[in-house]
Amino acid sequence: MPAVTETREAVEKLGQSTYKWGFETEIEMDMAPKGLNEDIIRLISTRKEEPEWMLEWRLAAFATWQAMREPTWAKVSYPPIDYQDLHYYAAPRRKPGPKSLEEVDPELLRTYEKLGIPLHEQALLAGVELPEGETARPPVAVDAVFDSVSVATTFRKTLEEAGVIFCPISEAVKDHPELVRKYLGSVVPAGDNFFAALNSAVFTDGSFVYVPKGVRCPMELSTYFRINARNTGQFERTLIVVEEGASVSYLEGCTAPMRDENQLHAAVVELVAMDDASIKYSTVQNWYPGDEEGRGGIYNFVTKRGACRGARSKISWTQVETGSAITWKYPSCILQGEGSVGEFYSVAVTNNCQQADTGTKMIHIGRNTRSTIIAKTISAGRSDSTYRGLVRVQPKASGARNFTQCDSLLIGDQCGAHTVPYIESRNMAARIEHEATTSKISEDQLFYCRQRGLSEEDAVGLIVNGFCRDVLKELPMEFAVEAQKLLQISLEGSVG
Amino acid sequence: MSQFLEISGLKARIDADGQEKQILRGVDLSIPPGEVHAIMGPNGCGKSTLSYVLAGREDYEVTAGSVLFKGQDLLAMEPEERAAAGLFLAFQAPVELPGVNNANFLRTAVNAVRRARGQDELDAVAFLKLARTAAKELSMAPDMLKRNVNVGFSGGEKKRNEVLQMTMLEPSFAILDETDSGLDVDALRIVAEGVNRLRSPQFSALVITHHQKLLDYLVPDRIHVMAQGRIILSGGPELAREIDREGYTKFLAEAEAA
Ligand SMILES: Nc1ncnc2c1ncn2[C@@H]1O[C@H](COP(=O)(O)OP(=O)(O)OP(=O)(O)O)[C@@H](O)[C@H]1O
Ligand SMILES: [Mg+2]
């Protein structure tokens, strides 16, 4: 069948160009032994062909990490992690995965179907091993690869013309060392916290974005990222620098539940915004939450922080968190520049045995800085969710203003929701408002919807989406629609 | 002969703070196809409870009796199945759904029942056209479709929104629970016209009301008087006028004596 051969060839060609563009992680055939020590870090650095300074930086972070203890203040519990029992440099899917879709958790497959993911992509997402003799490049997602690559090529040209740098962080270390050296760790220092230190020592994947002065990034760095995000790393590192008067909208994540053999994920994201710059960072996190008992779910310990260095700069975090067994995540803004603005819009959903401790920190340093926090927490099943938010106003931050709204929605009576606001104001002229509500989906609402013909699950989905509207409307359009579907799917079976 | 809607010996109770409270004490009522019946009765006699039980609200426990709807055992069906089968309840107190866009809600509902009835779903364009026309016929402000379901609606606006939903969902049996209360005179006429537009040999309605005015517009085929969880008296349209003139006391006393 010539058509098939043709398609294959086309895909192969395109596949290669993707690799050149560099977002496909190359399939390494070797794997470092378990454990973490200086030799492993040297190995990572060598494999990545890194300059000496990068290795030094990693080693220093490692030394810091060794002196630190794993934090215990979050309201999550999990068995102790043996950090010496992990591979820190391994090819993706080296450990035996499911041999075919038949071996994959049927629940997961059902979800894929609901999301309308084609079979061959389901296999990829579920980490099904390739049969003997097949090429290392996953023979999957032909259409997706085909489309995405052609789209990607056009994207790349557009970005280059605008002067925007968008590449894997490991490439940036080599090609733009002056920028990386200047900004890496400048927002989240290697010693910031236990997981950040670990990430700094061993990170291997992630993205680098640089938007030069006065440039509005001509496209959302979303579709592009999503289609390339298949091998999202265990220790991802993202650095986004936006110069004076420039702006960018960046989207990470994937609505399809991603399975990963690495249970522990510890990413670091750093954002830097100069005068009048603006960064919009949106996340849809849907890591595998484990089965109904929480077995096999991902632990997600993330440090995300943005520095509004310039006057009138703006950083906006929007997140929809539905996945992971454990989520530990506090995207924050350091509002240094006068009149700078920080925003945090969050939806966190927990079901079954999931645990989430998330929130934000808004640190007001400059005068007339403003921040808005809208956090929506939805708990179902036996899950437990905590919103933890810090608003700190430094003495010089006259005219600072914060508005916080935390709403929790409980589904059923076995779940928990907690709100832990920390407010520290050292400036009398600051204005801080905090509103919090806790509600249950009312029987009245459910019955009203069902009387109109909606199934109970559709009714819950509709009510939940209504509850989250203020956050969802902050997401880029295409993603908002998927996120809505995702919310509903995450809560399936939670009522009745 | 099996009627369109046949309620016999229906008893229902509610668990109110651990106390079993019997509300419906044996309701018998049948409605033939194409007819509009009205239920009247003093506050708290169980009219809304009857409508909830017919629509399938789970808080009420049916302890005796049966309900046949177009030959089907209505009480065995889920609320959404009843809706798909053609039952519509205009709520006495319509529920607010914060953050849920009214048009979106309506379209989701319409397509849910269309799917269940084996009809094609309406795409956004076709739906909006129909919804706008229907809203206009009810003299609803165009922005009502864009707002959140019932949130911040005035009493009258909520009732009109119920009638809009009824129109769009094309029920074969509608229960209107005091849809007339809170309406100004013009709104009352508009709402009544909305119901009258649906009238056909395939459409029946049960109208719960306290006022003669609505019945003047609707001209029901039968009037039923409910007291203490039972239908104590049924008659023609003149019965409503009698109640309007003389109140319930006389009828209650007669029922007591009987
Ligand atoms: N959830 C409940 N808990 C306790 N009592 C209830 C509940 N629902 C109904 N009742 C009681 O049942 C009785 C009947 O109520 P229902 O709402 O059916 O009356 P109604 O005939 O519709 O009255 P109205 O004309 O005022 O609307 C009332 O005494 C009411 O207080
Ligand atoms: Mg009532």
Side-chain angles (χ1 to χ4, degrees), chain A residues 293-462:
Chain A
E293 299 300 319
R295 279 184 299 252
I298 302 286
Y299 298 174
N300 195 26
F301 302 101
V302 186
T303 306
K304 288 184 165 174
R305 195 173 302 155
C308 283
R309 299 230 167 112
R312 297 165 306 277
S313 56
K314 175 176 172 181
I315 289 180
S316 180
W317 300 99
T318 305
Q319 58 172 33
V320 174
E321 303 275 324
T322 64
S324 297
I326 294 176
T327 304
W328 181 100
K329 181 175 179 183
Y330 317 90
S332 307
C333 295
I334 300 171
L335 304 168
Q336 229 171 323
E338 186 170 336
S340 59
V341 175
E343 294 173 341
F344 175 74
Y345 302 100
S346 164
V347 171
V349 181
T350 53
N351 196 357
N352 296 321
C353 286
Q354 284 177 275
Q355 306 172 58
D357 194 309
T358 93
T360 185
K361 287 187 233 169
M362 293 290 174
I363 314 292
H364 293 257
I365 299 171
R367 288 174 43 209
N368 297 321
T369 46
R370 278 175 295 141
S371 62
T372 304
I373 299 171
I374 311 243
K376 307 272 179 179
T377 306
I378 300 151
S379 325
R382 283 170 291 150
S383 68
D384 209 17
S385 188
T386 301
Y387 167 80
R388 198 180 292 278
L390 168 70
V391 177
R392 176 184 293 155
V393 181
Q394 305 281 58
K396 295 216 176 89
S398 294
R401 274 163 56 184
N402 163 267
F403 174 74
T404 301
Q405 168 107 37
C406 299
D407 299 316
S408 316
L409 187 68
L410 303 175
I411 302 176
D413 46 19
Q414 286 181 288
C415 53
H418 318 270
T419 301
V420 191
Y422 304 88
I423 297 170
E424 299 169 10
S425 182
R426 303 208 184 91
N427 186 305
M428 294 296 285
R431 211 167 83 211
I432 300 175
E433 288 171 70
H434 181 99
E435 286 174 17
T437 65
T438 301
S439 53
K440 284 192 142 196
I441 290 191
S442 81
E443 286 297 325
D444 284 338
Q445 290 174 329
L446 279 180
F447 178 63
Y448 189 67
C449 294
R450 293 180 75 189
Q451 203 311 294
R452 298 304 184 244
L454 274 66
S455 68
E456 188 158 42
E457 280 178 351
D458 286 349
V460 170
L462 200 76

Side-chain angles (χ1 to χ4, degrees), chain A residues 20 62 115 122 131 183 218 246 254 300 310 339 355 359 365 368 382-383 391 393 429 481 489 492 496:
Chain A
K20 256 189 255 144
F62 177 62
L115 285 165
Q122 295 185 14
Y183 292 108
C254 182
N300 195 26
Q355 306 172 58
I365 299 171
N368 297 321
R382 283 170 291 150
S383 68
V391 177
V393 181
V481 176
I489 290 170
E492 254 174 28

